[in-house]
Amino acid sequence: MDRLAFDIVVVGGGAAGLRAAIAAAESDPKLTIGLVSKVYPMRSHTVSAEGGTAAVMRDYDNFELHALDTIKGSDYFADQDAVEFFVSKCPDEIVQLDHWGCPWSRDDDGKIQQRAFGGMSVKRTCFAADKVGFHILHTLFQESMRHPQIVRLDEWFVTDLIQENGAAAGVVALDIRRGELSYINSKAVVLATGGCGRVYEFTTNGFIKTGDGMALAYRAGAPLKDMEMVQFHPTCLPGTGILITEAARGEGGTLINKDGERFMKKYLPSKMELGPRDILSRSEMIEIREGRGFKGPHGDYMGLDLRHLGEQAIDERLPMVRELAEKYLGLDPIHEPIPVRPGQHYIMGGVSTNLVGETPVKGLYAVGETACVSMNGANRLGSNSLSECLVFGKSAGMAVAAFAKRTGWPRGGAARDALAKQEARIFGGLLKREAGSESLSGIRREMQQIMERDVGIFRDEKGLTDACAKLATLRQRFANVSVADKDRVFNTDLTQALELDFMLDVAQAIAWSALNRRESRGAHSRTDYANRDDANYLKHSLAYRTDGAPRIDYLPVKITKWQPAERKY
Amino acid sequence: MAAENQVVFRVRRYQPQGTKGPYYQDFRVPYRSDEVVLDGLNYIKDNLDPSLTFRWSCRMGICGSCGMDVNGKPRLTCGTFIRDVSPGGIVQVDPLTGFNSIKDLVADFDPFMEHFLYVKPWVIREKQRPLSEGEYTQFPEELAAYRQQSLCINCTLCYAACPVFQGDNHFVGPASLALALRYIRDTRDEGADERLDLLSTPHGIWECTFVGECSVVCPKEVDPAGAIQSLKVLATIRHMRKLLMPKFASR
Amino acid sequence: MVEVREAVWRRRSGWWTQNGHYLLFMLREVGGSLSAVYGIILLGLLITFDMGQASYEDYLAFLQTPAMLAIQAVILAFVLVHAFTWFYLIGKSQAVMSAYRAPEWTRVFGLMIVIFVAASVGVLFVVFGGL
């Protein structure tokens, strides 16, 4: 049990967390920053992002247009002040990453190249072949190593936030390697743990995306905003759920049904395959439901056709797409269309924050997919997410540094109490409990199936009510789960149990928020309330944790320049 | 889709808080033809033995977590199909060669993290230009010069394959050295001299005897073996320059 | 602070028989030593030549005995392995010469082999005084 203390603790080592840590370090060389991650940072799920990072870089583009595209894409649900702030900061982040060594793909004149992307009216997506997330993550991680004030605690799992008089005062974390719990005192905590895709059965997300930071904030009294807004990506490989980047469509790829027709002309003729993701995913599901999908061993699917792009273009701009198709499906996209179907990919919702990452809990910040500013509203445009991590990572990093400078150290009593509580819960409870009646993987699977079936692309009152009831039951049944692996050292059975505990909270927030939004907007699509209802619902959902069902409250959407209109493309 | 086949996973177990050393345990695992070794390990953990411990995350070969020895060869288990590695109906899974293991299939790759940091894997510049002046110009062929070495996912399969590292964990190793070359060749970096001094040491490039196995096992075709030999030439040229023409030594 | 007791990895003896690449590597390393041994054999020629015609001719005869011929054949084989793997090495490392477009290593390898053959033919020509 170590006595650890840092001015700032950042939980999560992906793009947002690393960017915040670097920004804090740069703003004051005397600050100590603890970067606590349950995996080594280069394993963070940022690494799998493929397509690109949006920013206004050229003369044919301007901030107004990027903002309008984003707000329209969000189905007029994004907070417009956040979007205006966001678009104005993106170009600097692209340049900053270039200065730190990110291998952006280049035009013949040596400038950073940009490509077309869904919902963007001009080519404003900067990219690094089709591995932008990998390159950005490695660039940030390697740059972070240049700052000795950023101290990394790799493979430490945060189990609880410490609060002193309600304000964040540090974290309690499990050193996975040694199997020891410690408290880490700090003046501020930044949550950057990514999304929660693993509450769903079919997701592009890696195993580690279990909504840890969202649940931590939720339990500390911060509200989770817009949790019902879950994005389903139109092109995932059936079976594995592996993501095929939107850039494949940006480069000219088309979607076809089993009759070989480009079915998007029926749903969105003006944009076709480059429409917003929610519209595309719904269109695919309708095609499948009406029997026009290809049949396969993992269910019905659509075809992503890249054959007309040619081998050279594919190898130059979409090499990983080709590798993935060859490896996991045994087919070559230059000869055959790639089987794809919609899958959970991102969550627009998250811990409610303002422009600089502050949550309503003093000293608690959130950035990246964990947070909801809201910049993405009811549907996120592709390539805005990495930009979001960078822009808000920086603004939160600077804000939390300023906060830490003017704030005193917590007293320490709260930390000791929090540690004792966690030791009792985890070592005294979860770990000690004899073989329970419930299986960890069984409960997890049930949760994922409920979410997939009832809180998926199409929702209705009955399904959502059912889901809420079943999730509440699962929450109770979780109390009977025991951890079979009794060895404290590197106990992934234990960490999976802790993750499931977090996921059950987050799943409930999603289901309840969805049930209470009786309209369709962006990615939230209700078959019983098919239209957008601005009169009653132009407001963000806020889910607060209680001992029973989540309490749902609302927050008006911030409108500045763009009056909500019909989302027509 | 029902599982069509069955195979035995022979898995290396080790509990640090027990008294015995490592041992093998057999599990019967059903599998489909499109499933990978990682799927088999997850089947065991979810259904047969929840204490089986291993690292994984992205399952698509980009995070680098799931490197293990499969039938004696270092592989990414998320990209290794069970049908390809089960001659005689047995798949043997060990933690990565060359590293101590913390528990079961989890390797201690602290030595790698140390060497990774040692090569100063960031852009070294006297002065960064202000953001307002925009990005540095870098032509496509300049990008192509270091692109290959920039693809490393830090999976450390190359360290597992390297007999030199196996014999001496102080060897800086293939991935770290390839990363050093990536920065040296990046036109935005000015740290070639600084890094070559760090690399041109007994545990650096000169410990490499060009076995070449690192490049064979690399799942991303980074070719660390070629990178190290290039570094040797670079370091030698620089050394000769310093000796004969000290004024022109720096690049 | 609890120190975790790790399972220490130990290399098995005979590790180099594990796969073809390791084996080739060991052969190459041995080949290097054998090149040195051959150097000593050649040194013997110089020494016996200095000692006089009779000694020299005795030495030559010794080198042509079946046992010595066999040994020299083995040394030649190892030296060839050593040389060819070094040609491979040159192919892999020369990328630094032109930082942007390295010639394919197969081209360099081929070039080395051509030079090797040409040089060998040239030396044989000189030694045997014409074809």
Side-chain angles (χ1 to χ4, degrees):
Chain A
M1 239 164 306
D2 289 313
R3 285 207 58 211
L4 292 159
F6 301 99
D7 288 300
I8 299 165
V9 163
V10 177
V11 183
L18 288 168
R19 186 67 188 89
I22 294 171
E26 285 187 329
S27 79
D28 186 350
K30 289 198 292 312
L31 283 176
T32 54
I33 298 149
L35 186 72
V36 184
S37 170
K38 67 181 179 184
V39 292
Y40 285 93
M42 62 284 207
R43 316 297 185 212
S44 304
H45 203 59
T46 306
V47 81
S48 64
E50 300 176 17
T53 312
V56 172
M57 305 282 285
R58 306 290 181 112
D59 290 334
Y60 57 69
D61 201 1
N62 61 68
F63 292 144
E64 286 261 326
L65 197 53
H66 190 183
L68 173 60
D69 285 343
T70 302
I71 290 166
K72 194 165 157 193
S74 77
D75 213 352
Y76 293 92
F77 202 54
D79 288 324
Q80 296 180 9
D81 58 339
V83 175
E84 287 180 294
F85 172 76
F86 163 72
V87 300
S88 70
K89 300 287 181 208
C90 290
D92 269 356
E93 289 304 311
I94 304 289
V95 173
Q96 180 65 273
L97 279 176
D98 167 69
H99 288 191
W100 287 337
C102 184
W104 296 114
S105 290
R106 304 279 173 161
D107 274 334
D108 288 333
D109 61 359
K111 297 243 154 274
I112 295 173
Q113 199 171 73
Q114 296 186 294
R115 64 168 147 220
F117 231 69
M120 301 288 189
S121 18
V122 298
K123 287 186 178 179
R124 67 166 71 94
T125 298
C126 307
F127 59 101
D130 53 359
K131 291 189 161 84
V132 74
F134 163 78
H135 284 298
I136 286 181
L137 181 65
H138 280 244
T139 301
L140 286 172
F141 179 48
Q142 287 161 22
E143 172 65 21
S144 78
M145 288 167 94
R146 197 160 63 85
H147 298 269
Q149 45 184 146
I150 300 177
V151 174
R152 282 199 343 266
L153 294 174
D154 295 327
E155 295 189 320
W156 282 58
F157 187 106
V158 173
T159 64
D160 198 20
L161 284 178
I162 301 170
Q163 285 176 283
E164 195 172 83
N165 302 323
V171 297
V172 177
L174 173 71
D175 177 352
I176 298 177
R177 196 149 142 178
R178 290 186 178 79
E180 294 284 308
L181 277 167
S182 301
Y183 62 77
I184 304 172
N185 281 316
S186 71
K187 302 172 181 177
V189 176
V190 181
L191 297 170
T193 55
C196 56
R198 284 274 155 169
V199 305
Y200 283 87
E201 193 176 25
F202 185 66
T203 172
T204 63
N205 286 192
F207 176 64
I208 54 177
K209 292 202 61 186
T210 50
D212 298 359
M214 292 176 181
L216 288 169
Y218 192 50
R219 291 171 181 195
L224 294 179
K225 190 157 73 187
D226 293 344
M227 292 302 279
E228 66 272 36
M229 301 305 179
V230 177
Q231 183 169 79
F232 293 83
H233 194 288
T235 54
C236 311
L237 296 182
T240 54
I242 289 173
L243 173 71
I244 296 295
T245 175
E246 186 160 300
R249 287 170 280 133
E251 297 292 340
T254 57
L255 284 171
I256 55 175
N257 61 19
K258 79 172 200 315
D259 303 321
E261 69 164 317
R262 281 176 73 183
F263 56 88
M264 284 311 297
K265 67 176 182 290
K266 289 187 284 193
Y267 304 96
L268 201 62
S270 60
K271 283 263 177 188
M272 297 294 281
E273 288 85 0
L274 286 181
R277 289 172 179 178
D278 57 325
I279 296 180
L280 257 71
S281 293
R282 278 194 291 271
S283 308
E284 288 183 47
M285 290 311 289
I286 294 172
E287 288 291 298
I288 286 175
R289 265 205 294 204
E290 295 179 359
R292 287 186 292 278
F294 293 93
K295 303 240 165 274
H298 295 287
D300 292 1
Y301 60 88
M302 296 285 119
L304 175 64
D305 197 351
L306 303 180
R307 289 174 294 185
H308 52 282
L309 299 181
E311 183 165 4
Q312 195 187 0
I314 291 178
D315 278 343
E316 203 175 283
R317 300 151 93 79
L318 301 169
M320 187 153 94
V321 169
R322 190 175 184 189
E323 274 169 46
L324 290 170
E326 282 177 329
K327 192 171 185 73
Y328 290 99
L329 295 174
L331 61 86
D332 193 341
I334 63 179
H335 296 128
E336 285 178 69
I338 305 174
V340 292
R341 50 161 292 214
Q344 195 281 343
H345 176 61
Y346 178 86
I347 181 162
M348 276 65 74
V351 184
S352 181
T353 73
N354 63 13
L355 293 186
V356 292
E358 286 172 345
T359 71
V361 173
K362 182 154 174 261
L364 185 64
Y365 293 71
V367 274
E369 195 179 348
T370 305
C372 179
V373 187
S374 160
M375 194 210 96
N376 296 306
N379 173 65
R380 174 176 74 75
L381 293 183
S383 71
N384 261 354
S385 171
L386 283 167
S387 306
E388 175 186 10
C389 291
L390 297 170
V391 167
F392 293 104
K394 179 176 181 182
S395 71
M398 289 170 58
V400 74
F403 175 84
K405 263 213 296 245
R406 63 173 190 268
T407 305
W409 285 101
R411 240 152 317 177
R416 281 188 288 273
D417 290 341
L419 177 62
K421 223 171 98 189
Q422 291 304 300
E423 288 193 323
R425 173 172 86 96
I426 296 172
F427 293 146
L430 261 176
L431 197 57
K432 238 206 179 116
R433 210 178 292 154
E434 279 316 310
S437 47
E438 299 284 1
S439 119
L440 198 169
S441 58
I443 294 200
R444 186 172 60 217
R445 203 171 314 131
E446 275 191 58
M447 170 193 69
Q448 291 169 336
Q449 285 168 351
I450 291 166
M451 295 300 285
E452 193 71 36
R453 193 183 50 234
D454 295 324
V455 200
I457 294 178
F458 290 112
R459 305 156 174 183
D460 63 27
E461 189 83 15
K462 180 174 179 317
L464 288 170
T465 312
D466 234 10
C468 289
K470 289 209 180 85
L471 287 171
T473 314
L474 281 182
R475 173 91 263 163
Q476 289 168 351
R477 284 168 57 195
F478 178 77
N480 294 322
V481 161
S482 74
V483 171
D485 184 358
K486 302 298 183 194
D487 191 340
R488 285 195 188 187
V489 169
F490 221 106
N491 189 335
T492 50
D493 196 17
L494 176 61
T495 54
Q496 284 189 26
L498 295 172
E499 286 169 339
L500 179 56
D501 192 18
F502 287 150
M503 283 198 280
L504 286 169
D505 272 1
V506 171
Q508 284 188 304
I510 297 175
W512 255 272
S513 304
L515 176 62
N516 283 283
R517 178 169 293 275
R518 290 178 176 90
E519 65 154 355
S520 286
R521 181 187 296 267
H524 174 71
S525 188
R526 298 253 327 221
T527 52
D528 46 359
Y529 295 94
N531 297 313
R532 204 174 87 190
D533 181 1
D534 284 349
N536 290 310
Y537 284 105
L538 195 57
K539 50 194 184 181
H540 300 292
S541 313
L542 293 173
Y544 288 89
R545 190 174 199 263
T546 70
D547 285 331
R551 174 173 70 83
I552 306 294
D553 202 349
Y554 292 93
L555 185 66
V557 172
K558 283 207 200 65
I559 309 287
T560 57
K561 280 217 277 277
W562 295 271
Q563 282 310 310
E566 194 191 333
R567 186 166 70 141
K568 246 216 291 265
Y569 284 99
Chain B
M1 207 174 90
E4 310 147 0
N5 311 289
Q6 264 229 352
V7 75
V8 168
F9 267 57
R10 181 157 292 158
V11 183
R12 216 288 296 259
R13 307 298 308 271
Y14 169 66
Q15 285 86 29
Q17 289 180 332
T19 45
K20 63 176 173 176
Y23 60 96
Y24 284 95
Q25 191 174 0
D26 284 1
F27 296 96
R28 296 211 80 83
V29 175
Y31 72 98
R32 296 191 308 259
S33 61
D34 63 351
E35 284 191 313
V36 292
V37 173
L38 182 62
D39 292 327
L41 294 173
N42 274 318
Y43 176 85
I44 297 170
K45 191 173 179 74
D46 286 348
N47 300 292
L48 302 176
D49 185 350
S51 71
L52 179 61
T53 306
F54 49 95
R55 290 187 178 114
W56 70 285
S57 181
C58 74
R59 56 89 167 86
M60 57 189 270
I62 194 77
C63 74
S65 310
C66 68
M68 295 174 222
D69 266 25
V70 178
N71 293 341
K73 292 197 169 9
R75 311 283 301 257
L76 289 182
T77 50
C78 69
T80 305
F81 289 93
I82 297 176
R83 60 173 195 254
D84 291 337
V85 291
S86 50
I90 297 184
V91 178
Q92 182 167 322
V93 189
D94 288 86
L96 275 182
T97 311
F99 294 98
N100 295 338
S101 56
I102 298 169
K103 179 164 163 175
D104 287 349
L105 300 166
V106 176
D108 173 2
F109 73 154
D110 279 353
F112 166 68
M113 291 306 291
E114 200 185 294
H115 299 321
F116 185 61
L117 182 60
Y118 176 74
V119 304
K120 302 202 176 180
W122 48 77
V123 171
I124 293 175
R125 278 185 82 88
E126 174 102 39
K127 218 167 111 68
Q128 284 277 17
R129 65 156 74 156
L131 293 182
S132 52
E133 283 181 25
E135 72 262 41
Y136 293 111
T137 302
Q138 185 169 78
F139 296 102
E141 57 271 18
E142 292 176 331
L143 173 60
Y146 69 90
R147 198 193 79 89
Q148 198 181 6
Q149 281 76 46
S150 74
L151 297 176
C152 173
I153 62 175
N154 304 340
C155 63
T156 68
L157 297 192
C158 55
Y159 283 75
C162 174
V164 176
F165 181 76
Q166 291 168 13
D168 174 16
N169 274 20
H170 294 297
F171 174 43
V172 173
S176 305
L177 293 172
L179 190 60
L181 183 67
R182 171 252 182 278
Y183 279 99
I184 287 173
R185 282 210 183 135
D186 191 330
T187 48
R188 298 167 289 190
D189 180 78
E190 293 169 353
D193 288 337
E194 201 175 327
R195 282 199 198 86
L196 286 171
D197 279 343
L198 289 169
L199 302 181
S200 199
T201 53
H203 288 309
I205 51 183
W206 302 113
E207 200 169 350
C208 168
T209 53
F210 195 49
V211 178
E213 193 66 2
C214 53
S215 294
V216 170
V217 303
C218 177
K220 295 295 171 188
E221 295 180 10
V222 171
D223 190 15
I228 297 173
Q229 310 324 308
S230 299
L231 284 169
K232 287 179 182 172
V233 177
L234 274 173
T236 308
I237 289 175
R238 182 165 171 273
H239 180 77
M240 284 298 134
R241 273 215 190 106
K242 266 171 77 172
L243 216 55
L244 305 172
M245 306 182 289
K247 276 206 289 283
F248 302 101
S250 297
R251 265 164 39 111
Chain C
M1 177 79 113
V2 175
E3 268 316 309
V4 175
R5 188 172 58 96
E6 294 183 349
V8 177
W9 181 82
R10 285 193 208 296
R11 177 147 63 184
R12 290 188 307 277
S13 58
W15 61 270
W16 49 274
T17 55
Q18 197 185 326
N19 74 38
H21 296 115
Y22 288 163
L23 190 61
L24 198 65
F25 162 71
M26 286 306 254
L27 291 177
R28 187 179 83 218
E29 298 298 293
V30 169
S33 317
L34 289 180
S35 303
V37 167
Y38 194 65
I40 294 169
I41 291 175
L42 289 178
L43 206 57
L45 280 173
L46 277 178
I47 292 169
T48 52
F49 186 78
D50 192 50
M51 280 161 54
Q53 178 142 4
S55 316
Y56 182 64
E57 283 175 0
D58 282 343
Y59 190 63
L60 278 179
F62 165 66
L63 288 181
Q64 287 172 67
T65 56
M68 280 311 288
L69 283 174
I71 288 173
Q72 285 171 90
V74 166
I75 293 177
L76 177 63
F78 273 94
V79 167
L80 283 175
V81 164
H82 191 93
F84 278 78
T85 50
W86 270 97
F87 295 160
Y88 174 65
L89 171 99
I90 292 171
K92 283 280 176 177
S93 68
Q94 45 72 42
V96 72
M97 299 309 176
S98 107
Y100 308 152
R101 274 283 167 267
E104 278 299 317
W105 73 263
T106 43
R107 280 223 177 127
V108 179
F109 186 63
L111 179 66
M112 291 289 125
I113 292 183
V114 164
I115 294 175
F116 170 77
V117 168
S120 303
V121 165
V123 166
L124 289 171
F125 190 85
V126 165
V127 164
F128 289 104
L131 291 162

